[in-house]
Amino acid sequence: MTTGQRKAVEQLMPQYEIDPLPDTLPLDLIFGNKNPVWMDIGFGNGESIIHAAQRYPDVNFLGIEVHLPGIGHLLIEAKRLNLTNIKIIRNDAVDILKKHITDESLAAVHVYFPDPWHKKRHHKRRIINADFVSLTAKKLKKNGRLHYASDWQPYAEEVRALFKDSLCFSNIEPNHAFAPRPDWRPITKFERRGQKLAHNSYDLIMIRN
Ligand SMILES: C[S@@+](CC[C@H](N)C(=O)[O-])C[C@H]1O[C@@H](n2cnc3c(N)ncnc32)[C@H](O)[C@@H]1O
């Protein structure tokens, strides 16, 4: 963690972090308005949230991440740009969804470049699985969006197959195809690193029926 990130965590967490966590998050009260809430799971250094929070000022962004240096990076940028539509939680995202998010309360859930766990024996650690699909289906509002992106094709194909069987979601693309990158998802440092290794990116945008 850089000195700047450590300082940001010390000084800015009280402003941006939801802590202590109430049993059920009163999202309207937390953000101080009734705007839609887009959750970003595993936001890394927060580039995607910072980009989208500027582009969509009438949306609230709830970022969940466990990695403190990344959180520090996001806090520095949020403060520099004076963004007031961002809150974060430092915790396990699946736990937060299960225990603290009201059913049918989120307008979108974004999962960008989740850890691919390349080795076969580690695939069970991948965050997107059948349980995750049912859980997000419960937490999204009707017509809410689940947006997944990855540069690891085998993982992207696995997730695409999972959603193909789901009765709760419809792909915005015909033929259950991958989608072009939408304007709310920027190309991040992480994605550029993949591009240098000739990795393509695969976006899946699914709508809650
Ligand atoms: C490969 S990085 C991608 C970061 C970012 N989304 C991006 O596109 O650049 C995956 C991130 O997910 C976070 N993460 C993994 N499992 C998580 C979980 N269960 N809850 C919250 N964050 C998690 C990791 O700490 C890591 O920062």
Side-chain angles (χ1 to χ4, degrees):
M1 184 143 75
T2 65
T3 310
Q5 287 163 354
R6 185 172 302 115
K7 262 195 193 156
V9 167
E10 281 165 17
Q11 295 170 5
L12 301 175
M13 279 297 240
Q15 186 181 338
Y16 290 96
E17 189 184 26
I18 304 174
D19 182 48
L21 272 179
D23 285 347
T24 306
L25 289 178
L27 293 171
D28 295 357
L29 274 179
I30 286 167
F31 286 98
N33 59 53
K34 290 184 180 300
N35 289 343
V37 176
W38 296 4
M39 175 186 272
D40 190 318
I41 290 182
F43 59 72
N45 69 10
E47 265 179 281
S48 301
I49 294 186
I50 294 292
H51 165 89
Q54 292 174 87
R55 205 174 185 95
Y56 294 89
D58 295 332
V59 171
N60 295 321
F61 291 84
L62 178 58
I64 321 281
E65 176 55 72
V66 287
H67 186 59
L68 211 46
I71 293 175
H73 188 277
L74 170 126
L75 294 176
I76 293 169
E77 287 301 288
K79 185 71 182 171
R80 183 176 73 78
L81 296 161
N82 207 14
L83 296 170
T84 55
N85 53 341
I86 299 176
K87 291 285 177 196
I88 63 149
I89 297 173
R90 185 183 183 211
N91 213 315
D92 175 76
V94 174
D95 230 40
I96 295 297
L97 271 173
K98 273 189 192 154
K99 298 182 186 156
H100 298 277
I101 300 288
T102 310
D103 289 355
E104 296 183 39
S105 63
L106 300 172
V109 172
H110 296 168
V111 194
Y112 298 153
F113 302 89
D115 300 307
W117 297 106
H118 297 106
K119 291 183 184 156
K120 196 167 170 55
R121 69 175 190 277
H122 291 158
H123 284 185
K124 55 182 179 296
R125 297 186 192 171
R126 288 176 173 171
I127 195 163
I128 313 259
N129 52 31
D131 288 346
F132 183 89
V133 174
S134 327
L135 182 62
T136 45
K138 249 169 77 180
K139 302 300 168 178
L140 282 168
K141 288 176 190 271
K142 188 168 179 286
N143 295 323
R145 168 181 74 229
L146 188 292
H147 180 190
Y148 161 90
S150 177
D151 67 343
W152 187 244
Q153 191 178 5
Y155 190 9
E157 291 294 359
E158 179 186 301
V159 172
R160 184 158 71 143
L162 265 178
F163 279 104
K164 191 161 191 236
D165 296 338
S166 165
L167 298 174
C168 299
F169 287 97
S170 304
N171 193 328
I172 61 158
E173 293 293 318
N175 306 317
H176 197 41
F178 291 112
R181 182 174 57 81
D183 71 350
W184 60 81
R185 188 177 79 71
I187 299 181
T188 60
K189 196 169 146 190
F190 184 84
E191 186 171 5
R192 273 190 295 275
R193 210 183 308 151
Q195 286 174 342
K196 280 189 192 145
L197 300 170
H199 292 181
N200 290 322
S201 294
Y202 304 88
D203 287 77
L204 264 181
I205 303 181
M206 308 296 307
I207 299 298
R208 174 77 172 94
N209 292 328

